[in-house]
Amino acid sequence: MSVTTKWIEIASADGGFGAYLAVPHVGKGPGIVLIQEIFGVNEHIRAVAEQYAADGYTVLVPDLFWRSAPRIELGYADADWKTAVGLMHALDADKALSDIALTTATLRALPGADGKIAALGYCMGGLFAYRALAAGLVDTAVAYYGGGIQNQLALAERIKGPLLMHFGAEDAHISAAAVQAIAERFEDNAEVEIHVYPGAGHGFNCNHRSSYHQRAAAEAHGNSLTFLADSM
């Protein structure tokens, strides 16, 4: 199934930023705000946007690093990792969440967005997807290996919609104890679903990385599609 893609501009109080839009062949579908890893809206993240557009969703991906490095596109070699970590540490999380709010509002206003809006994020983006749901910006959220969620469990009481979280059992950045703490905090919330994938490490969904785990990526994508279909 073909999809239509383009960059659009979103105005903000302190300037404006680009966002990558992917629209399904039929021209409309439920909306997804896709939130990047620390490597920018790079080839992998654009491919994920196109994948979900092919699945029938209208997807909009904000460039969260626009204030310091507009439309930067990083790979996964050591030098790019160093740059990516520096950009992540320099990012103002509250301003980034405001950018996600503007992206959500823009997506809701697009003729191609139909129905509810989900946040779907990877790594840093997984944490922002969780925060976006807690802030009431979106109707549902999917977080892939969301680093730091275990440190923001005070927001758990604000989670009022369906939430799906994916973790790799062999993730060197998110410990089993962290995943357990998240699971225990949400064990009484029937709208929260957690999957842990055996043999998978951090970044298991990214086929541009050595940590790519094909089975876990396939299972997580299927679980995400089922979850989104049920919650949207």
Side-chain angles (χ1 to χ4, degrees):
M1 179 183 293
S2 62
V3 302
T4 301
T5 64
K6 65 179 179 179
W7 282 89
I8 67 171
E9 292 297 316
I10 298 176
S12 70
D14 55 343
F17 56 94
Y20 187 71
L21 175 66
V23 179
H25 179 69
V26 295
K28 65 178 183 178
I32 292 177
V33 174
L34 179 61
I35 310 174
Q36 65 180 69
E37 300 173 304
I38 64 174
F39 306 99
V41 185
N42 63 5
E43 182 180 0
H44 166 60
I45 291 297
R46 296 195 305 273
V48 171
E50 292 159 19
Q51 179 183 45
Y52 277 95
D55 292 324
Y57 294 90
T58 298
V59 186
L60 192 56
V61 193
D63 173 16
L64 295 185
F65 289 156
W66 68 274
R67 291 178 179 85
S68 54
R71 295 203 194 181
I72 191 168
E73 184 165 343
L74 298 171
Y76 305 96
D78 289 346
D80 281 358
W81 268 94
K82 184 177 180 180
T83 300
V85 170
L87 287 168
M88 177 187 68
H89 287 315
L91 183 67
D92 184 312
D94 290 335
K95 288 183 178 180
L97 197 62
S98 294
D99 292 342
I100 292 168
L102 287 171
T103 304
T104 304
T106 300
L107 182 54
R108 288 191 191 278
L110 289 177
D114 181 19
K116 295 181 178 180
I117 302 291
L120 190 155
Y122 297 82
C123 190
M124 176 188 79
L127 175 58
F128 276 117
Y130 169 80
R131 288 193 60 183
L133 183 60
L137 303 179
V138 294
D139 302 294
T140 186
V142 178
Y144 275 76
Y145 28 87
I149 290 177
Q150 72 275 13
N151 300 322
Q152 298 201 20
L153 293 178
L155 296 176
E157 62 185 19
R158 301 183 189 176
I159 298 293
K160 303 301 182 184
L163 170 64
L164 171 62
M165 290 179 277
H166 301 294
F167 296 102
E170 306 302 323
D171 193 323
H173 300 282
I174 304 173
S175 68
V179 176
Q180 182 63 28
I182 295 167
E184 289 176 357
R185 179 61 183 84
F186 286 105
E187 62 184 353
D188 295 326
N189 189 332
E191 290 194 296
V192 176
E193 184 178 332
I194 297 174
H195 291 273
V196 179
Y197 300 91
H202 197 74
F204 69 77
N205 184 73
C206 180
N207 58 5
H208 292 238
R209 297 169 69 164
S210 60
S211 57
Y212 176 62
H213 193 289
Q214 194 275 335
R215 182 181 179 88
E219 288 183 357
H221 185 59
N223 288 334
S224 295
L225 290 177
T226 300
F227 174 82
L228 291 170
D230 289 343
S231 62
M232 298 177 72

